[in-house]
Amino acid sequence: MRLLPSGDRALLVELDDLDEVLGYYTALTADPPADVVDVVPAARTVLVTTSGNLDVLSRALRAVTPLAGAQASGDLIEIPVVYDGEDLSDVAELLGCSAAEVVERHTADEWTVAFCGFAPGFGYLTSAGSWDIPRRESPRTKVPTGAVALAGEFSGVYPRESPGGWQLIGRTSVRIFDSHRDPAALFYPGRRVRFVDAGRG
């Protein structure tokens, strides 16, 4: 673990990998140090902002022990998906299986929101599965709201129409982000997600 200054009110905690980030974030938010006002996880880091003294925060952060098995600790939400994405057959070819098997694997895995970014409400979801899906060679200028996608080790749901280079495998009608709802974002770090095949009849 390495601590780096980030302005005069925050420290950036660098960790070895995403599993350690999830464990560190879970432990830190379960018992946050005094004066902490925000904790933002990313793929390999956790940004911690304080209203207090940075030296005090530094000592507190060095004392945090990542929680093992953090991926299984959050509450669970089910997201119904119609698996008719434009890239579903391409993903199947990349994985050397059928489109039905891609759906089976995607719905069989339990996913965890590791961190958020890119757009409000966009969660980067990880699972214990062996996903390693390259982004499209040419990103789309418009990806529709609710598109369910894969890229690298992550799955995600586009919370609004936007450009994007992830491989689209399906769509959901669930509003992942709604600024008029409290909380606005359905996906937040630590939340577990199960995708359900809504087209299965």
Side-chain angles (χ1 to χ4, degrees):
M1 180 177 75
R2 185 167 70 141
L3 296 186
L4 298 170
S6 182
D8 58 0
R9 288 294 174 196
L11 293 174
L12 188 69
V13 184
E14 280 191 343
L15 298 160
D16 288 340
D17 54 36
L18 187 55
D19 286 341
E20 191 174 16
V21 167
L22 286 169
Y24 191 91
Y25 173 83
T26 302
L28 181 62
T29 54
D31 186 19
D35 301 323
V36 166
V37 295
D38 200 14
V39 181
V40 181
R44 301 290 182 270
T45 62
V46 178
L47 179 67
V48 185
T49 305
T50 182
S51 61
N53 182 282
L54 284 180
D55 290 334
V56 173
L57 179 63
S58 176
R59 288 194 293 274
L61 294 180
R62 292 185 188 282
V64 174
T65 300
L67 184 67
Q71 289 199 12
S73 62
D75 64 330
L76 177 68
I77 185 173
E78 290 190 345
I79 302 295
V81 178
V82 176
Y83 284 94
D84 60 357
E86 294 179 51
D87 303 321
L88 182 58
S89 59
D90 292 339
V91 170
E93 185 174 343
L94 286 165
L95 294 174
C97 65
S98 68
E101 288 172 316
V102 174
V103 175
E104 185 175 337
R105 286 179 55 177
H106 196 249
T107 55
D109 279 0
E110 184 174 282
W111 298 81
T112 301
V113 182
F115 56 93
C116 297
F118 171 61
F122 189 97
Y124 289 75
L125 281 58
T126 63
S127 78
S130 56
W131 300 92
D132 185 14
I133 307 298
R135 287 173 167 76
R136 287 173 49 83
E137 290 185 9
S138 178
R140 292 183 170 88
T141 57
K142 287 185 179 179
V143 174
T145 301
V148 178
L150 295 164
E153 65 188 286
F154 301 107
S155 187
V157 180
Y158 283 79
R160 64 181 183 190
E161 182 180 282
S162 69
W166 288 33
Q167 306 275 2
L168 308 184
I169 60 171
R171 56 188 162 88
T172 181
S173 60
V174 175
R175 292 182 65 83
I176 300 301
F177 184 81
D178 183 347
S179 61
H180 301 293
R181 185 178 59 206
D182 184 20
L186 287 185
F187 290 171
Y188 48 82
R191 189 163 210 186
R192 294 177 296 136
V193 178
R194 175 80 69 183
F195 294 104
V196 178
D197 185 359
R200 182 176 294 176

